[in-house]
Amino acid sequence: MRWVAFMPLRGNSKSIPHKNLRPLAGRPLYAWSLQQAVESGCFDALYVATDSTAIRTSVAQQFADQITVLDRSPETCTDEASTEAAMLEFQQHIGFDVICLIQATSPLTRAEDFRAAREAFLEHRFDSLLTTVHSKRFFWDADGQPINYDPAHRPRRQDFTGWQMENGAFYFTRAKVLKTHRSRLGGRIGLYEMSAENALEVDEPVDWRLAEQLLLQHQRAAPAETIAVLLVDVDGTLTDAGMYYGAEGERLKKFNTRDGYGLLRLAASGVKVGVITAEDSPAVAARMRKLGITHYYPGIKDKLPLVKKLIRDWRLTPARLAYIGDDLNDLDSIAHAGLSACPADAVDEVRQQAAYVCERPGGGGAVREFCELILHHNRKLKK
């Protein structure tokens, strides 16, 4: 069977303008669920269909050759057009046995959701499947009539079995069902229940704020994979952010030998170590040579594009990347990393977003502290 994932993306939205491209916790909205689909390993191919040049460019930057981007006709991009119209158009050009429609508005979807739902789909021989969350809410229609309970005999919450609410995260559909019913659902329909937080769909500004808070909480949790790469900022992280000048104006920087030894220990364990800095300092270059760090990238003002390129070049997922930095130009990279940290004296915005705030300051052992944390994390997962 050939399984494909499909995400239709329009260039604009009325409720939240250009929401698909708007950064959410450091990444475009669409990238969250799409990344989990990639990491799930469930699909033979993954596609985005769009009418937007900006989205096409963004997908290429975020996913390189992992995602194929197709043109979406104007007829399927109107406010009146159904999602099924985009799916049927896709079916005319791409062959598959099962299609997974992924909704960009459900950024809390996890790779394990795709895996578990696929297993249930195959085990029970469903023709289509939708995702749900369990709800114990009481519903009423617009005319003031109860839908799912009798107000005269109001059940206790613990006695109320509740309902399964369709949350729109993703759908599985066999090719024959889509072609015959012209719908994502038909034939023998299955349900896959997701966690309660997945009731949230990002359709309104208030949803955006809640989703961002939840995603940042997830990022602060330790990743379930071993760390393969550590990327380190310099000024304020490997140094104390001080700049020292001699009589002739030559700039010097102060490094901590314990930080250096921590990086050497990490490299000896098999973790790749890289250093990224906005400055291009001979003093830093000399320190990198002393430590034998060959993955040294000076003069990088915008760090996130390089971080993404390194992830692609080294064939990693973001979950296997660790990053430590202290200032605003590190925020995007911290949000993108599976495990992030900052020195104790980092700026407030970074302290709020980093998964781990070191007890020690920049240039005073913070990097060594984070290296030891990574070593412990990797040892624990390898047991």
Side-chain angles (χ1 to χ4, degrees), residues 1 74 88 139 161 170 197 310:
M1 294 177 64
L88 288 163
F139 294 98
T161 58
F170 61 90
E197 67 183 14
L310 294 176

Side-chain angles (χ1 to χ4, degrees), residues 289-342:
R289 289 194 296 272
K290 175 72 173 178
L291 294 174
I293 294 176
T294 56
H295 300 293
Y296 170 52
Y297 307 95
I300 307 298
K301 305 296 184 183
D302 186 2
K303 298 180 180 181
L304 183 59
L306 175 60
V307 170
K308 291 179 179 177
K309 181 180 184 301
L310 294 176
I311 288 173
R312 293 194 300 268
D313 291 349
W314 292 333
R315 300 185 180 278
L316 301 172
T317 62
R320 302 200 67 198
L321 169 71
Y323 188 96
I324 181 170
D326 75 302
D327 216 330
L328 297 180
N329 64 341
D330 297 303
L331 271 174
D332 288 343
S333 300
I334 283 173
H336 198 68
L339 184 62
S340 60
C342 68

